[in-house]
Amino acid sequence: MPANIKQQLDDLLRNIEIRRYLCKQNVDLLFVFLALLTGIYLQYKIQEIAMLGFIVWNIINPWSSEKLARGTLALLGLIPFALMFKRSQYAEELAIFVYYFLILTVIIAIIEYKREKKNAEYEDAK
Amino acid sequence: MFKLIKRQKSYALVILILGLLLANSFFRLFYREEPEVAIADSGHIIIPSEGTSFKTGIPQTFKGKYYRLFFEARAYSENKLNTPDFERISIDHSSKIKIILKSNYGEKKFVKEFEIDNSLIYKSHEAIILMDSNYTELIFEKVDKYDSNVIFQRGMFFHELNVSDQKSADLVRPVIKPATILDWPIAEFVEESPVAVHRFNGTGNLVGQIFKAESDRMSGVSFKFDLKGKGGLGSYKAELRKAEFANGKYIISPETISSFEFHSYDYAPYLNDEGEWRLPLAAILEKGQYYFVGISDREASVNFFNYANILGSSEMKNKIPSLLIDTTGETKEIGSLYFKIFGAAYTRVGDERILEGTIIEDVGSGTGYFTYNSVGDITDLLNLDKFDLGENNQGKVFYLGKANTVVGTAQFGTSFTYRFNMMHPIKDVIVSASQIGPIYFKNKLFYSFDGVNWQQITEEQDNSDDGWKADNTLQQYVQKIVATSKSNQFYIKVTYDENDNGREEGLFGVRNLSLLAEIDMSK
């Protein structure tokens, strides 16, 4: 590419300040948006789409395993009420979400454990 | 590139997950339940759309002996639902499959080629085979390996025949396995572009159609609904009641003969390609009698975003009216509902109905077997020969979905009877059945060869001396009955044990009723 054209392109990019839009928060939102679009395209139910968006958000910006475990327990606590009001369909869907939450919690807990172990080793080495 | 992935691990993981989800929808990387599988009643897929063959083990065959292979099959285009209407005809092709026998040593024998129709209805196929070696495997193979149909199969058996030469083998009669057609409309009103006739508001109104029974069996009803949101929460109920025509007015009985509860959001089992809700509602009807079949919203809760309309025409186009019955019992005519009422078309030999669940097999040399296994769906009710509703017809006999069997109210002397036409003189019959469950009444079972003289079938005795256990053990019946007459008919009557009481459900009935009879096929 001739040097002057490259220069012009760089200037243009700098002018529109594309980097400003590429901040982490916007990229994260873009990925969540892509996940929602995928869910819509694959004709998932609205609550499943929301769950997919949540999972993607959590992969990028993970909640602590403790927070997720609390979420799991909160959802689990809703199930008896759903059954009490004879909404077995809701109870079934809630149980599935509890299962997803549980998997996420376990994965995040393993990652946290490994990270802590690594930090401890690093501290010891110091 | 790897460095980038390593640095942005979480983004790479998200892309991988979304990629896998998309790839799964295009290439089916992982198993996902298809709606067609749910439609395919008790059969199962033996060859998927991308597969070419199915292999199954058989008891070892012996050289020089004759065997019968019997199976029911149907083909289906898996991508049918996702294909536009104008392309459907071209993919509705039937499939050809060939049957091959294989021995432990790899020796193969071609048996026969069968044409499997592309349909929702199973068709029977059979072959009588003279064995030339010891085979242990049976292979079903698509003749055209590019054929993308799914092959469903059910009810396969492979039996040795009691014949020793080709002449006797030629005399063996084909297997009789009836298929009751439930999609047979006995009354209908079809509107090309139906409009909302009534909006369900959850107040307990009953909206439905009056019809005159032209057939003695009813297997279901179809209505069209327009659902907003989920169509409402809670459940709707399809109800069948008797109706009378007197003084130019229809009077609907408050008693429900048969009912079926469903949720508007759980539409997959009921909604068909034509947008009709096909609800199983079985009953034995009196020919010529008027009936009312309708939908009640008593248990439904609706709101501005979730409600249902029942469709039809707002004008009176049908001779027999559609009615709205409010909670006080007042009736009001509401135009013409879109509806179809289905009967049951039985397989008949001569004038005689052959019950669904029956197999009549000729094994040669004048011997044959009649087997009957209760189906576990509404056909068990349609199979009834008659029922006795006791004093002043106060009892009830109906199909209970949660028990998957026919039940009667354990009061007033209620009973119901099955009649099995075995078509040939009966030599002996083994009857087996069991009580539905501990919350249902104990039964009394009777048999007869003429429908007049009844003998009680004895239940299997529980030998334990534990009194509590004896009270709570389910009744089991297994009895071999040797025929003393040359009758072709066999009757089973089910009623309740008057000495039993306090059962939670107040109902009686048997489950897994089965018969195995040896019949004289030389006559």
Side-chain angles (χ1 to χ4, degrees), chain B residues 187-199:
Chain B
E188 63 179 15
F189 173 73
V190 175
E191 172 74 33
E192 282 296 315
S193 5
V195 294
V197 174
H198 172 76
R199 176 172 161 177

Side-chain angles (χ1 to χ4, degrees), chain B residues 39-41 72-76 116-125 152 154 178-184 356:
Chain B
I39 297 167
D41 50 307
E72 289 178 289
R74 68 179 185 91
Y76 199 67
I116 311 293
D117 289 347
N118 193 317
S119 155
L120 283 172
I121 298 162
Y122 284 87
K123 230 171 123 181
S124 318
H125 301 277
F152 290 88
R154 69 175 185 190
T180 308
I181 299 164
L182 301 179
D183 281 335
W184 177 54
E356 176 92 13

Side-chain angles (χ1 to χ4, degrees), chain A residues 28 31 42 44 59 89-90, chain B residues 10-11 15 17 25 233 265:
Chain A
D28 291 357
F31 272 82
L42 296 177
Y44 288 174
I59 291 170
Q89 184 85 3
Y90 290 171
Chain B
S10 51
Y11 293 127
I15 292 171
I17 291 173
S25 77
L233 296 169
Y265 50 77

Side-chain angles (χ1 to χ4, degrees), chain B residues 85-310:
Chain B
D85 283 345
F86 59 91
E87 282 179 17
R88 283 196 182 184
I89 297 154
S90 60
I91 59 165
D92 265 358
H93 62 277
S94 58
S95 289
K96 270 190 180 160
I97 59 166
K98 57 183 174 187
I99 308 287
I100 297 158
L101 285 163
K102 198 178 160 201
S103 75
N104 279 341
Y105 310 103
E107 193 182 352
K108 282 185 177 177
K109 176 187 170 71
F110 167 75
V111 177
K112 204 175 167 182
E113 214 172 88
F114 292 100
E115 177 115 13
I116 311 293
D117 289 347
N118 193 317
S119 155
L120 283 172
I121 298 162
Y122 284 87
K123 230 171 123 181
S124 318
H125 301 277
E126 68 174 285
I128 290 177
I129 315 156
L130 169 62
M131 291 300 162
D132 55 2
S133 185
N134 302 6
Y135 298 104
T136 52
E137 271 180 4
L138 194 65
I139 301 167
F140 292 77
E141 198 175 284
K142 280 181 185 167
V143 172
D144 174 8
K145 64 177 178 181
Y146 298 109
D147 177 0
S148 61
N149 273 350
V150 182
I151 311 290
F152 290 88
Q153 186 224 57
R154 69 175 185 190
M156 188 192 96
F157 60 80
F158 188 80
H159 289 163
E160 188 183 331
L161 295 180
N162 197 9
V163 293
S164 50
D165 55 65
Q166 193 57 46
K167 206 178 152 195
S168 340
D170 291 342
L171 291 174
V172 171
R173 297 179 178 96
V175 170
I176 297 176
K177 187 170 186 211
T180 308
I181 299 164
L182 301 179
D183 281 335
W184 177 54
I186 51 171
E188 63 179 15
F189 173 73
V190 175
E191 172 74 33
E192 282 296 315
S193 5
V195 294
V197 174
H198 172 76
R199 176 172 161 177
F200 289 108
N201 50 18
T203 51
N205 289 340
L206 187 61
V207 176
Q209 178 65 38
I210 291 180
F211 68 100
K212 194 175 181 180
E214 304 290 350
S215 162
D216 59 353
R217 297 287 191 276
M218 173 176 168
S219 67
V221 62
S222 278
F223 286 112
K224 271 194 175 180
F225 298 105
D226 175 25
L227 302 185
K228 299 291 179 220
K230 289 197 172 227
L233 296 169
S235 59
Y236 290 89
K237 200 175 193 180
E239 292 184 12
L240 178 74
R241 298 177 179 201
K242 261 190 182 175
E244 298 289 339
F245 186 65
N247 304 328
K249 214 180 154 193
Y250 289 95
I251 301 153
I252 315 295
S253 156
E255 287 289 313
T256 307
I257 301 171
S258 175
S259 67
F260 178 74
E261 224 171 283
F262 62 100
H263 300 282
S264 56
Y265 50 77
D266 182 22
Y267 53 81
Y270 316 114
L271 191 62
N272 66 15
D273 284 356
E274 288 151 33
E276 296 165 352
W277 284 63
R278 170 82 157 84
L279 305 165
L281 189 67
I284 296 183
L285 310 176
E286 289 167 39
K287 269 191 183 179
Q289 165 77 40
Y290 282 105
Y291 289 90
F292 171 85
V293 59
I295 304 289
S296 155
D297 61 5
R298 203 174 303 124
E299 302 291 325
S301 66
V302 296
N303 55 40
F304 185 72
F305 301 104
N306 296 287
Y307 61 91
N309 288 319
I310 189 162

